Amino acid sequence: MEITRFQIIFIIGLMAFAVRALPQLFFVGERFPEAWDRWLRYLSYGFICSIISVTLFMAGGRIETAAAPRRAIALALAIVVAYRTKSAVTGMLSGAVLVLILARLL
Amino acid sequence: MSFAARFRQGMKAAIPIWIAFVPSSIAWGIAAQDHGLSLAEVVLMSAWVYSGPAQFAVLGPLAEGKSALQVLIAGFLMNLRFLPMSTALAPFFRGVKRSQLLLASHVISASSFIVPYVQFQKERAPTGADSARAPDLDGYGRLAFFLGVGVTSFLVWVTGTASGFLAAFGFPPGFEEALKFILPGYFAGLLVVEMKGWAMPLICFGSLVAALPGAVVSPGWGWLVTAIVVATLGCGIEEWKLRGSR
């Protein structure tokens, strides 16, 4: 039986919902030991950083070598500006403007 | 503080997320139209999957008619990151009915995890106490704050993708480069603003760098494995140092 695109999207959503909802079912109100709490936090941050890397620098399983340097420079600027100004949006906007300029220049 | 007041507080905290979501969601809507998805599929995916990186990741394989299993695995692996996020948030919702949490959990995303999580940490431990010694704060109040962040960001995302699909205006050359940067750039900014100590920056940088060789070896799960290894190593070293100093 052929699965339609609609059904595929529905199943992806169902799996995403399960991943989001199951911890709420089993761990609501639980108090984790400090080390476990920290590990969960670091794991979440680690996944987000990995996603940043994969989204910015890769396409189709390969590193986008032409675009990667300018995106890396823009990411570095975004990080520095966000750190200095304590504003994620200011950092993001600075990086976006820089990557736009670099894409036109290079 | 009432539920409505906490919800409004969450909404206020979510404004920067909306700013990041508007261009990213429009970009996804345009990309989805480019890949031949229908408006119904676009809205379904944004509202039901609600995961920017996963939506971008499955767009190509879905449009190219790759095997359903391949698309499902790609989407599932991308969304696995919600597991530790949801687990980390769960202790804060003490006393809330599970049925309500089931519904609320749908709006968990990277942004709607970081903002409430950091807020709850600040509220919970002004003295840096661990979770076992934390005072009991109102689970419903926290849920209201979380929903203020999550529901409004969700609405912005879904509306943005539909608008992007319908408008599908042509961006000037190079502009898509900035659009591609916005969501990851915002995630990076969010993390940097909340960084404390030495372990978190090290883990973030390590995961950022290690993800690339990991994803080259296995585009599906390589970056997941490297993040788990880096986070576990960083946490282990921190634990070891903490024990040494006690």
Side-chain angles (χ1 to χ4, degrees):
Chain A
M1 191 186 75
E2 185 85 0
I3 300 180
T4 66
R5 215 154 58 181
F6 225 82
Q7 288 167 321
I8 293 173
I9 295 170
F10 183 77
I11 298 170
I12 295 173
L14 206 61
M15 291 192 298
F17 181 70
V19 167
R20 284 170 168 132
L22 286 177
Q24 298 298 327
L25 277 183
F26 294 112
F27 300 119
V28 61
E30 289 280 333
R31 292 182 166 184
F32 301 133
E34 192 188 351
W36 173 245
D37 200 34
R38 213 171 33 235
W39 183 72
L40 280 174
R41 185 167 70 240
Y42 290 157
L43 192 59
S44 303
Y45 292 157
F47 280 160
I48 294 170
C49 288
S50 293
I51 289 230
I52 292 171
S53 204
V54 171
T55 314
L56 271 185
F57 304 121
M58 297 200 64
R62 287 184 182 178
I63 296 175
E64 289 186 282
T65 45
R70 64 169 174 260
R71 289 178 192 163
I73 294 168
L75 182 65
L77 177 76
I79 288 170
V80 170
V81 172
Y83 183 75
R84 287 281 179 111
T85 60
K86 298 283 168 212
S87 161
V89 171
T90 313
M92 174 262 287
L93 289 174
S94 321
V97 170
L98 181 65
V99 85
L100 199 62
I101 294 168
L102 291 176
R104 288 190 177 221
L105 290 179
L106 304 175
Chain B
M1 204 186 280
S2 71
F3 193 91
R6 282 287 272 170
F7 186 89
R8 279 196 299 274
Q9 199 186 359
M11 269 178 74
K12 214 170 147 188
I15 292 171
I17 302 178
W18 306 344
I19 296 171
F21 271 20
V22 168
S24 310
S25 57
I26 290 175
W28 189 79
I30 294 168
Q33 205 212 36
D34 263 2
H35 282 80
L37 264 68
S38 69
L39 179 62
E41 288 167 337
V42 166
V43 173
L44 175 72
M45 203 193 272
S46 281
W48 182 226
V49 178
Y50 182 46
S51 163
Q55 285 175 234
F56 275 106
V58 301
L59 203 52
L62 201 62
E64 288 158 19
K66 293 254 169 81
S67 81
L69 189 68
Q70 205 176 336
V71 182
L72 291 175
I73 290 173
F76 178 70
L77 291 174
M78 271 285 180
N79 290 330
L80 257 185
R81 70 187 188 284
F82 296 133
L83 196 65
M85 291 178 195
S86 181
T87 309
L89 281 175
F92 293 104
F93 299 134
R94 177 178 283 265
V96 179
K97 283 184 186 163
R98 282 187 167 81
S99 55
Q100 292 166 333
L101 283 174
L102 274 185
L103 287 175
S105 67
H106 180 62
V107 294
I108 292 174
S109 69
S111 322
S112 62
F113 159 72
I114 296 175
V115 174
Y117 186 79
V118 169
Q119 173 74 16
F120 299 159
Q121 290 269 354
K122 281 179 194 160
E123 291 169 354
R124 185 176 71 175
T127 55
D130 70 21
S131 49
R133 294 193 296 271
D136 254 336
L137 289 177
D138 175 28
Y140 274 99
R142 286 174 175 149
L143 179 69
F145 183 89
F146 169 74
L147 289 175
V149 175
V151 171
T152 54
S153 304
F154 171 81
L155 291 174
V156 169
W157 180 260
V158 177
T159 312
T161 52
S163 311
F165 180 92
L166 291 171
F169 38 85
F171 284 107
F175 204 81
E176 61 279 1
E177 192 62 15
L179 289 176
K180 186 169 178 153
F181 182 85
I182 281 171
L183 203 54
Y186 179 64
F187 287 162
L190 264 182
L191 289 176
V192 166
V193 169
E194 301 305 336
M195 269 186 190
K196 280 178 202 150
W198 58 269
M200 191 178 153
L202 202 68
I203 288 166
C204 286
F205 183 72
S207 304
L208 194 78
V209 173
L212 288 178
V216 168
V217 172
S218 170
W221 50 265
W223 60 274
L224 273 170
V225 173
T226 54
I228 293 170
V229 169
V230 171
T232 308
L233 267 177
C235 202
I237 294 169
E238 192 182 45
E239 185 67 22
W240 174 66
K241 285 196 83 173
L242 280 172
R243 279 185 190 174
S245 64
R246 273 173 200 154

